[in-house]
Amino acid sequence: MCGITGTFAFTDAGRTTLAALPAATDAIESRGPDSRGQYVYDCVGLGFRRLAILDLSADGNQPMTDESERYTIVFNGEIFNFKELRQKLVAKGCRFHSQTDTEVILQLYITEGRNFLKKLNGFFGLAIYDKEENSLFIARDRMGEKPILVYRDEDKLLFGSEMKSLLALGVPRKLDYTSLSHYLQLNYIPGPATIFKGVKKLLPGHYLYIKGKKVVRKRWYKVPYDSKKVQKNKLSYEQQQKKLVDLLDDATSRRLVADVPLGAFLSGGIDSSVVVALASRHTQHLNTFSIGYRDEPFFDETKYAKLVADRYKTNHTVFSLTNQDLYDHIFDVLNYLDEPFADSSALAVYILSKRTREKVTVALSGDGADELFSGYNKHMGEFQVRQGGFKAEAVTSLNLLWDVLPKSRNSFFGNRVRQFQRFSRGMLSGPKDRYWDWATFASATDARSLLSPAAQQKINKKLADKRRKDILQHLHADGDLNEVLLTDVQLVLPYDMLAKVDLMSMACSLEVRPPFLDHNVVNFAFSLPVSSKIDANLKKKIVQDAFRPMLPEELYKRPKHGFEVPLLKWFRGELRPLIEDDLLSDTFIEAQGIFDVEAIRALKTQLFSRSPGDVHARIWALIVFQWWWKKWMQA
């Protein structure tokens, strides 16, 4: 795994950024601590950091230039079918000087042009410079596993794997208040926006082609969902299960190629257990890793992980954590973030990645299965809303009761009340409003109310509405649950789940490979009818049924427990001074000028009440933003 960055100058003024290339390259050192490289020619500069995954000779280092010295590439990612592609290129007369997937990509671009991306099986961010035509080609993988950020003005175009590298290249630190308003709703910032004006996320499955001052953006991959074709799917449910097993087995075996220690995350849930079961077909004594929560037994699933580990005789390691262990890493996570990102489970992912990296360099994961096959509670809620019936109507009829009862994620009763209230609101909404309500922690009105009057004036409401409309474009009143899953794949997956895994694993120099996100698995998932994915009793139906023979029966006899970082306890205890006396103090809020003092006070009052609801998640979003603002905007 690696990190890339670079600059393409349009003018002499733009060329001055070339001097900052070394600093921009070093800013992403954790993505590639093993080596670094740079290429500078005329108006272009390419930077590269490398984490050694394969045993490559020196001529496999990057930036890599072809033998004609016309083309130069920097590449971040893994291509799992590069050996097959290489053989075909050799048959056509191509000569190779290394055994790397990087050189295969370079030769494919030389021989086939931009359409070569469709042949790649893997995840990546890449840039290729063509010296002869003075052009730059930048591309991102299908699902958005690897990030690419881009900034452009009249003098230059800058890009990088992380915001840190762009900041080192000198992008203006101008806060995008429209992005901030969405962050305060979602706890992350959906692409193409970022927290900075002018800096954009290159969308998954897109590329840029830059020549002269002209920048062409094109979508080269989209999830091939067609509701009419899904309805005509002729495979029986049994045939669908077999095909899923075959596709996922192939995806898993491809992701086991590495010349460094390799393992797999094993949470005790179905998804990671499936990956471990399949990986064990292709390698003996697989290294597996689980996190246990000693102080939170309700969330501890290590006994289920051990059942899978014992069945497949893996080298299993459990990292048993206390709440103090979690607390001790909060500031490591906050310090790494170069854009506000407030999914609190990132803390657990960071610790798992850090501990796992002490033993292996590559880890397989079960990420993506929930979004593809309907694994979340909200999917069951959506299914029940669309099905209707007595139970759904009964919940809605008690709407006034849900409003007055205390709500909290930190108790069983309070959490059920919270869920019933959200479900009741959803019953009364259309699919677009319901999706947004269930995806967010605050409404647009509530999010904006946290901002000062001056800050509210800086929100571009038309742009905010357009961004929301783009996110929800696939949802229709006469559609089905597959449209919800497609929206998850284009919103939640790349900007929350995958962003979290990429950020936290790269902070620890660990590469994570999720077999469920192989594009062949993704394409197949969206050829399946909703009835294969969910029914009134079972989420992620086809995954559970297809792999039942491979997994311990105990995994099927318990509810799924997501992990909740004990934020509420910390906010009322160890972190209270950070809230009251520092980041959310009246003094700091007034001096900063971004937030409304009275609104923040009201939020803190709710935090310390007997009915906090989801307020701890909103407080965490504010703390993350404030920490980020102090580090990156006050520096």
Side-chain angles (χ1 to χ4, degrees):
M1 188 51 58
C2 314
I4 63 174
T5 188
T7 176
F8 187 92
F10 304 136
T11 65
D12 288 339
R15 282 182 171 84
T16 60
T17 59
L18 293 171
L21 185 62
T25 303
D26 288 342
I28 50 176
E29 179 182 5
S30 68
R31 287 183 173 267
D34 294 331
S35 65
R36 68 196 292 272
Q38 293 177 36
Y39 170 88
V40 177
Y41 176 81
D42 191 27
C43 66
V44 70
L46 304 176
F48 174 77
R49 299 290 317 205
R50 176 176 171 237
L51 172 64
I53 301 297
L54 297 173
D55 183 16
L56 305 178
S57 59
D59 57 5
N61 288 334
Q62 294 188 48
M64 178 183 288
T65 301
D66 78 309
E67 62 182 358
S68 74
E69 298 187 355
R70 173 176 171 177
Y71 301 93
T72 301
I73 182 173
V74 285
F75 162 68
N76 164 29
E78 299 291 335
I79 304 303
F80 301 114
N81 63 333
F82 81 94
K83 290 183 179 179
E84 299 100 296
L85 295 171
R86 188 180 191 276
Q87 289 175 353
K88 292 178 182 179
L89 288 168
V90 169
K92 292 179 180 180
C94 288
R95 296 196 308 168
F96 287 87
H97 302 279
S98 74
Q99 300 295 319
T100 66
D101 53 358
T102 305
E103 191 175 12
V104 170
I105 293 171
L106 189 58
Q107 288 297 332
L108 280 170
Y109 183 71
I110 293 169
T111 58
E112 301 185 19
R114 287 167 257 171
N115 288 331
F116 83 93
L117 293 168
K118 296 177 181 179
K119 293 187 175 182
L120 303 182
N121 182 319
F123 51 84
F124 54 85
L126 61 86
I128 302 174
Y129 175 64
D130 181 340
K131 184 191 294 185
E132 185 173 302
E133 68 173 30
N134 193 30
S135 66
L136 185 65
F137 175 71
I138 303 172
R140 191 178 181 194
D141 64 71
R142 293 173 176 86
M143 305 310 297
E145 293 181 58
K146 290 292 108 183
I148 290 285
L149 301 171
V150 179
Y151 170 82
R152 179 194 178 191
D153 61 23
E154 62 182 10
D155 295 311
K156 60 193 175 293
L157 182 142
L158 312 174
F159 70 91
S161 297
E162 292 188 15
M163 190 72 77
K164 297 177 184 68
S165 60
L166 271 69
L167 292 172
L169 289 169
V171 299
R173 304 188 186 200
K174 295 182 179 179
L175 194 65
D176 186 328
Y177 284 86
T178 307
S179 294
L180 176 57
S181 70
H182 279 149
Y183 168 76
L184 294 173
Q185 295 171 64
L186 291 160
N187 281 18
Y188 57 89
I189 300 170
T194 73
I195 195 63
F196 290 119
K197 283 186 176 181
V199 180
K200 302 298 181 186
K201 299 179 177 88
L202 182 60
L203 295 176
H206 282 67
Y207 72 69
L208 298 178
Y209 177 72
I210 306 102
K211 185 177 181 181
K213 285 193 174 184
K214 185 177 181 182
V215 179
V216 175
R217 181 176 66 88
K218 184 175 180 179
R219 185 175 192 171
W220 66 270
Y221 169 82
K222 65 183 295 187
V223 174
Y225 173 65
D226 185 323
S227 60
K228 293 181 180 179
K229 288 184 179 179
V230 168
Q231 293 170 8
K232 296 177 181 178
N233 190 318
K234 295 180 179 180
L235 294 178
S236 68
Y237 186 55
E238 290 71 24
Q239 290 171 324
Q240 292 171 18
Q241 292 178 63
K242 183 181 183 305
K243 187 169 182 179
L244 176 59
V245 172
D246 291 343
L247 288 172
L248 198 55
D249 182 64
D250 179 69
T252 303
S253 66
R254 287 181 180 276
R255 284 158 179 76
L256 290 170
V257 177
D259 291 327
V260 293
L262 181 146
F265 295 153
L266 181 56
S267 69
I270 295 291
D271 307 334
S272 63
S273 298
V274 165
V275 170
V276 167
L278 293 175
S280 296
R281 288 178 166 185
H282 305 284
T283 183
Q284 292 185 336
H285 306 300
L286 179 72
N287 298 300
T288 54
F289 305 94
S290 299
I291 277 188
Y293 301 104
R294 206 180 311 163
D295 296 339
E296 306 288 339
F298 179 75
F299 299 113
D300 194 303
E301 299 180 321
T302 53
K303 65 179 180 180
Y304 299 106
K306 187 176 185 302
L307 289 172
V308 178
D310 288 346
R311 180 163 181 167
Y312 290 100
K313 297 180 175 59
T314 69
N315 297 322
H316 190 54
T317 302
V318 176
F319 307 120
S320 185
L321 306 180
T322 64
N323 285 343
Q324 186 62 43
D325 292 324
L326 291 166
Y327 180 80
D328 288 343
H329 289 85
I330 284 179
F331 301 105
D332 293 334
V333 171
L334 290 173
N335 279 323
Y336 189 78
L337 297 175
D338 53 16
E339 181 178 59
F341 179 82
D343 183 335
S344 62
S345 63
L347 181 58
V349 176
Y350 174 81
I351 298 174
L352 176 60
S353 297
K354 184 176 182 180
R355 299 285 181 87
T356 298
R357 183 62 177 87
E358 294 171 0
K359 297 178 179 290
V360 301
T361 310
V362 177
L364 274 59
S365 79
D367 292 304
D370 287 323
E371 290 81 6
L372 295 175
F373 296 103
S374 70
Y376 294 127
N377 288 334
K378 69 176 182 179
H379 296 145
M380 181 58 78
E382 182 70 25
F383 179 83
Q384 292 171 340
V385 166
R386 291 170 183 260
Q387 292 294 111
F390 170 74
K391 289 183 180 180
E393 292 173 2
V395 172
T396 305
S397 69
L398 297 173
N399 199 31
L400 291 176
L401 179 63
W402 311 136
D403 286 343
V404 298
L405 287 175
K407 292 165 282 292
S408 171
R409 285 180 178 265
N410 284 63
S411 71
F412 176 81
F413 177 76
N415 195 42
R416 293 297 285 174
V417 172
R418 184 189 66 84
Q419 291 172 336
F420 283 144
Q421 184 189 52
R422 288 170 72 87
F423 180 83
S424 180
R425 285 203 310 262
M427 281 286 292
L428 303 174
S429 306
K432 293 181 186 290
D433 289 338
R434 180 167 59 248
Y435 183 95
W436 193 255
D437 182 36
W438 289 357
T440 56
F441 292 94
S443 67
T445 300
D446 288 343
R448 290 170 184 170
S449 72
L450 294 179
L451 299 174
S452 68
Q456 289 188 39
Q457 292 298 315
K458 297 178 182 179
I459 297 173
N460 185 328
K461 293 183 179 180
K462 287 186 178 180
L463 179 59
D465 290 343
K466 181 183 182 304
R467 289 178 181 176
R468 182 180 184 275
K469 183 178 179 181
D470 288 345
I471 290 168
L472 304 176
Q473 62 180 300
H474 298 294
L475 298 169
H476 303 93
D478 59 349
D480 64 21
L481 190 63
N482 266 321
E483 293 183 347
V484 174
L485 301 181
L486 182 61
T487 306
D488 277 353
V489 164
Q490 296 183 354
L491 172 68
V492 180
L493 189 63
Y495 304 118
D496 185 1
M497 301 306 172
L498 292 180
K500 172 176 61 183
V501 172
D502 178 76
L503 282 166
M504 297 299 97
S505 63
M506 287 293 94
C508 304
S509 303
L510 177 75
E511 177 179 307
V512 177
R513 302 174 177 177
F516 276 101
L517 294 182
D518 184 292
H519 72 277
N520 294 306
V521 177
V522 174
N523 293 350
F524 175 67
F526 280 98
S527 74
L528 298 176
V530 171
S531 60
S532 296
K533 300 180 179 182
I534 192 170
D535 61 26
N537 301 308
L538 193 62
K539 302 190 295 285
K540 216 155 39 187
K541 178 182 174 184
I542 190 171
V543 177
Q544 301 216 44
D545 287 346
F547 294 96
R548 186 180 288 268
M550 300 184 194
L551 301 178
E553 189 61 30
E554 290 87 344
L555 269 63
Y556 291 84
K557 297 178 179 178
R558 64 184 181 90
K560 177 179 179 178
H561 295 309
F563 175 64
E564 287 285 329
V565 173
L567 291 174
L568 192 60
K569 292 181 183 178
W570 292 340
F571 292 159
R572 292 174 171 179
E574 298 97 319
L575 287 179
R576 188 161 185 164
L578 191 67
I579 295 172
E580 301 274 39
D581 304 326
D582 187 2
L583 298 180
L584 299 184
S585 68
D586 290 357
T587 302
F588 185 64
I589 295 295
E590 288 174 351
Q592 183 186 32
I594 294 176
F595 297 104
D596 182 80
V597 174
E598 293 298 329
I600 300 299
R601 281 181 190 162
L603 212 58
K604 289 189 288 186
T605 298
Q606 184 182 350
L607 175 69
F608 300 117
S609 73
R610 62 185 291 268
S611 183
D614 280 333
V615 73
H616 64 284
R618 300 182 67 193
I619 292 287
W620 178 243
L622 289 167
I623 288 174
V624 170
F625 177 85
Q626 296 292 73
W627 191 278
W628 169 86
W629 192 87
K630 272 188 148 184
K631 179 171 183 177
W632 298 103
M633 299 297 282
Q634 280 194 327

